[in-house]
Amino acid sequence: MEENYWELRLYVAGKTAKSVTALNNLKKYCEEHLKGQYTIEVIDLLVQPQLAEGDQIFAIPTLVRKVPEPIRKIIGDLSNEEKVLVGLNIRPAQKK
């Protein structure tokens, strides 16, 4: 796995407005700043509740950055782009 690759896991509980917003925001940021360098795994805790324990998920939606380490978590709908980029330790793409 190359060094600049992000494995992201988004925990949601059903298709709530907040969960859909979080996923849409995450996809937008990844396309802008990590194009071709990321995977997003969406885990619906209504379908797979046992998976919450492994990443110690206490709130929904929660984004977990698995790779690169250290693991980081961001809770909420991810609407604050700057907070998400800082939280994931992503340097914003240079504006052309």
Side-chain angles (χ1 to χ4, degrees):
M1 186 80 41
E2 63 184 81
E3 192 175 311
N4 292 336
Y5 195 83
W6 277 257
E7 283 183 28
L8 306 172
R9 190 176 284 172
L10 182 64
Y11 288 89
V12 298
K15 295 257 185 247
T16 65
K18 211 170 184 181
S19 296
V20 170
T21 300
L23 182 57
N24 290 339
N25 285 334
L26 179 59
K27 285 179 177 175
K28 186 179 97 180
Y29 306 151
C30 287
E31 278 304 299
E32 282 178 28
H33 303 288
L34 299 174
K35 197 158 185 69
Q37 298 177 295
Y38 69 95
T39 56
I40 298 172
E41 180 182 7
V42 179
I43 296 176
D44 187 338
L45 294 178
L46 295 181
V47 179
Q48 299 174 293
Q50 71 280 6
L51 295 178
E53 201 174 311
D55 277 323
Q56 298 177 325
I57 302 303
F58 301 112
I60 297 295
T62 296
L63 173 64
V64 178
R65 182 186 79 180
K66 303 292 280 181
V67 174
E69 291 194 331
I71 290 173
R72 291 185 171 209
K73 296 179 190 170
I74 301 172
I75 297 168
D77 67 6
L78 311 179
S79 58
N80 182 332
E81 181 174 4
E82 187 178 343
K83 184 178 169 190
V84 173
L85 295 180
V86 169
L88 293 177
N89 199 21
I90 295 170
R91 285 175 204 78
Q94 296 301 313
K95 302 284 185 223
K96 293 179 176 100

